[in-house]
């Protein structure tokens, strides 16, 4: 059950040592919300660390405090530390960062599939991003939002709602984004950084698009990131999903990504179908229109299983 907004503030102010983390394969929301919270807690002169058990895409390196992001092996904690888990449903989503959570845990999240695991939680599935929740908390607490945190929070909100194009965009989402721009966020600079690609990566897009496949009378589109295709794209493949989901007539879009011969990472997006339910079949989750899971099978087998479940659902 959610703690009150004042209790969340009290918990954060009470601790002197705080570790902030979010889900593996961190996206804009995971990174932006952790760095904004880091900014505020750091300004209160606390000992604060930001940990991700994954490489962070360097396209985010324009954010203030990007350099503060550390790997689990670089950090020592004990049970006097508070762990803040942002944008994640359960401890299994944290990779090795979970091993550093030795004391109490505060979870701030917006996933419908949240597992309600923490000592204190503030879960808002009606919000588009963890960054939208944090913005709302800062505003409610009357904490002046510094421009650098506003940039991080704007990036968090904008990336999770597809720059205000997805169905999770509400009036509240836009009001929070407006407040962030008023606080000094730079929408143009953020978009420039996120959209910029090397010419080689831009040209690789042509190769990637050739690999999109259609299923189920063209209502389903999928893309498999084989090791060969990832020679063109690199490790960070999240940005290609938009091309799959934007194909005319497609309701469900998915990507499957090679991790190893026995592990495949799956992303699902939809216009009407509940993809959280499809991801849940494989032990994953997320939101109704955007979800993910990891399947302990080869890329080809995982793709077949995912297509089968999607075709059942549409
Ligand atoms: P992705 O396709 O990785 O961008 O994930 C889509 C949404 O589902 C994001 O909000 C993720 O945080 C969430 N998600 C992805 N994988 C999982 C999982 N295994 N368990 C719970 N939520 C997930
Ligand atoms: Mn996320
Ligand atoms: Mn999110």
């Amino acid at each position: 059950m959610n703690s009150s907004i004042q209790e969340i503030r009290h918990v954060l102010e009470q601790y002197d040592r705080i570790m902030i983390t979010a889900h593996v394969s961190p996206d804009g929301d995971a990174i932006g919300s952790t760095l904004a919270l880091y900014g505020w807690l750091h300004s209160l002169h606390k000992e604060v660390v930001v940990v991700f058990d994954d490489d962070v895409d360097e396209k985010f390196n324009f954010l203030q405090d990007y350099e503060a992001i550390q790997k689990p092996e670089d950090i020592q904690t004990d049970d006097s530390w508070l762990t803040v888990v942002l944008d994640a449903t359960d401890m299994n989503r944290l990779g090795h960062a979970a091993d550093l959570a030795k004391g109490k845990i505060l979870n701030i999240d917006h996933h419908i599939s949240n597992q309600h695991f923490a000592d204190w939680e503030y879960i808002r599935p009606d919000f588009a991003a963890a960054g939208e929740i944090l913005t709302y908390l800062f505003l409610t607490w009357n904490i002046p939002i510094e421009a650098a945190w506003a940039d991080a929070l704007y990036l968090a909100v904008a990336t999770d709602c597809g720059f205000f194009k997805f169905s999770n965009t509400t009036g509240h989402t836009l009001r929070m984004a407006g407040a962030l721009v008023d606080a000094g966020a730079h929408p143009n600079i953020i978009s420039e950084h996120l959209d910029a690609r090397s010419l080689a990566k831009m040209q690789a897009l042509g190769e990637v698009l050739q690999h999109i496949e259609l299923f189920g009378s063209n209502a389903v589109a999928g893309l498999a990131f084989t090791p060969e295709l990832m020679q063109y794209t690199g490790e960070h493949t999240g940005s290609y999903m938009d091309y799959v989901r934007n194909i005319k007539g497609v309701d469900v879009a998915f990507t499957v990504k090679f991790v190893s011969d026995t592990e495949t990472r799956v992303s699902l997006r939809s216009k009407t179908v509940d993809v959280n339910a499809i991801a849940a079949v494989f032990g994953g989750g997320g939101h109704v229109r955007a979800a993910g899971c990891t399947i302990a099978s080869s890329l080809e087998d995982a793709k077949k299983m995912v297509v089968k479940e999607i075709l059942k659902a549409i």
Side-chain angles (χ1 to χ4, degrees):
M1 203 179 74
N2 281 348
S3 297
S4 73
I5 288 175
Q6 285 319 322
E7 191 179 4
I8 300 290
R9 179 175 187 168
H10 181 69
V11 169
L12 287 165
E13 287 184 337
Q14 210 180 14
Y15 277 85
D16 294 324
R17 285 177 289 276
I18 302 178
M19 174 181 110
I20 311 172
T21 189
H23 62 79
V24 288
S25 306
D27 52 18
D29 189 25
I31 292 158
S33 51
T34 51
L35 290 184
L37 184 61
Y38 172 89
W40 173 51
L41 294 171
H42 199 242
S43 77
L44 302 178
H45 307 291
K46 293 175 185 293
E47 191 180 339
V48 198
V49 295
V50 173
V51 196
F52 285 111
D53 184 20
D54 246 328
D55 289 334
V56 175
D57 194 329
E58 60 186 27
K59 72 183 176 192
F60 298 113
N61 69 6
F62 69 99
L63 293 171
Q64 180 177 295
D65 297 325
Y66 174 88
E67 301 297 331
I69 298 172
Q70 291 181 282
K71 287 284 180 70
E73 53 269 28
D74 301 329
I75 290 168
Q76 302 260 328
T77 55
D78 58 42
D79 63 6
S80 69
W81 285 67
L82 173 70
T83 299
V84 183
V85 176
L86 297 175
D87 197 34
T89 51
D90 60 274
M91 296 302 279
N92 291 327
R93 294 279 292 143
L94 309 182
H96 289 293
D99 306 339
L100 294 165
K102 296 172 181 156
K104 298 263 190 193
I105 300 173
L106 165 64
N107 182 210
I108 298 175
D109 184 34
H110 69 123
H111 290 98
I112 188 96
S113 58
N114 189 280
Q115 298 294 308
H116 306 286
F117 62 93
D119 297 287
W120 301 278
E121 66 175 22
Y122 193 72
I123 316 297
R124 294 296 300 259
D126 52 329
F127 281 21
E132 183 179 342
I133 306 177
L134 274 183
T135 306
Y136 170 68
L137 293 176
F138 283 154
L139 293 176
T140 310
W141 294 334
N142 277 316
I143 291 169
I145 300 175
E146 289 185 12
W149 320 342
D151 269 336
L153 288 170
Y154 184 94
L155 176 134
V157 173
T159 51
D160 255 22
C161 66
F163 283 79
F164 313 102
K165 286 184 284 191
F166 297 160
S167 61
N168 58 357
T169 307
T170 64
H172 187 268
T173 314
L174 291 163
R175 281 192 292 281
M176 294 304 104
L180 293 169
V181 175
D182 287 343
H186 305 82
N188 59 324
I189 292 174
I190 291 164
S191 290
E192 278 163 30
H193 280 281
L194 294 187
D195 292 343
R197 292 158 190 246
S198 64
L199 179 60
K201 281 268 165 68
M202 203 62 94
Q203 290 169 336
L205 185 57
E207 178 67 25
V208 174
L209 298 181
Q210 298 298 321
H211 289 79
I212 297 178
E213 298 172 82
L214 293 171
F215 308 86
S217 312
N218 302 346
V220 180
L223 176 57
F225 289 102
T226 58
E228 296 74 43
L229 191 56
M230 283 160 69
Q231 288 183 348
Y232 290 91
T233 62
E235 272 303 306
H236 299 289
T237 54
S239 62
Y240 296 101
M241 177 59 103
D242 276 345
Y243 298 100
V244 187
R245 61 187 291 283
N246 281 341
I247 295 167
K248 207 168 184 177
V250 165
D251 187 337
V252 181
F254 73 89
T255 62
V256 284
K257 177 176 167 180
F258 174 90
V259 180
S260 73
D261 288 334
T262 55
E263 191 178 338
T264 301
R265 173 75 218 149
V266 181
S267 285
L268 296 154
R269 302 289 184 271
S270 86
K271 297 204 177 80
T272 65
V273 171
D274 180 354
V275 288
N276 176 56
I278 296 174
V281 171
F282 303 105
H287 313 282
V288 175
R289 308 242 184 283
C293 57
T294 298
I295 299 181
S297 303
S298 69
L299 189 71
E300 265 310 306
D301 289 348
K303 186 172 100 181
K304 283 187 197 135
M305 290 190 252
V306 167
V307 171
K308 199 171 155 196
E309 283 305 319
I310 296 171
L311 293 180
K312 264 199 252 171
I314 61 173

